[in-house]
Amino acid sequence: VHLVHAGGRLVHAGVSQRLLCAASGFTDGSRAIGWSCYAVGNEREVVSSIICSDGRTYYAGSVKDRFTISSDNAKNAVYLQMNSLKPEDTGVYYCVAALAPTTAQAMSVMAYDYWGRGTQVTVSS
């Protein structure tokens, strides 16, 4: 499994940006793809994930109603649209993938076996 990111840059608070994850190497079967954020001084957390087979989406409370995750299965791509960005959204965002996840695992960092290299998102106040 190979995960490649695009997007991530320095922006001012309040603006939007979109992250792209191009995923390859999957065999048939259920999978979840998400975005995990690591900020200095904080633990890694999954901010959003999507079950690719049925489109179920999950969000951390801190990003709910501001971030939207979507997938284009034909292109093996997952997008994270980030609106109304805040300085506390700053961090390295990793595209992550899990095979055959349960609902309970969809927002658990420990469930994800595959990680991209990460892309820096910096939001200035």
Side-chain angles (χ1 to χ4, degrees):
V1 175
H2 193 50
L3 305 171
V4 178
H5 308 79
R9 64 185 190 276
L10 170 64
V11 296
H12 290 294
V15 303
S16 301
Q17 66 175 279
R18 188 173 76 161
L19 304 181
L20 161 68
C21 176
S24 61
F26 292 105
T27 58
D28 291 339
S30 176
R31 59 185 178 267
I33 296 179
W35 292 90
S36 174
C37 179
Y38 172 69
V40 175
N42 297 333
E43 294 185 356
R44 293 178 191 265
E45 67 165 345
V46 177
V47 298
S48 183
S49 64
I50 185 168
I51 307 297
C52 295
S53 58
D54 61 19
R56 281 178 290 161
T57 57
Y58 303 87
Y59 297 95
S62 60
V63 306
K64 188 173 174 58
D65 298 327
R66 296 189 299 120
F67 289 12
T68 302
I69 192 168
S70 60
S71 67
D72 183 336
N73 291 339
K75 296 181 179 180
N76 289 323
V78 172
Y79 306 93
L80 184 68
Q81 178 66 40
M82 304 185 291
N83 297 331
S84 301
L85 282 162
K86 302 176 180 180
E88 50 264 43
D89 295 321
T90 293
V92 180
Y93 284 72
Y94 298 87
C95 181
V96 294
L99 302 180
T102 65
T103 298
Q105 292 173 321
M107 291 296 284
S108 170
V109 170
M110 299 301 294
Y112 289 88
D113 295 318
Y114 302 97
W115 291 67
R117 298 183 66 177
T119 186
Q120 177 72 42
V121 174
T122 303
V123 185
S124 64
S125 58

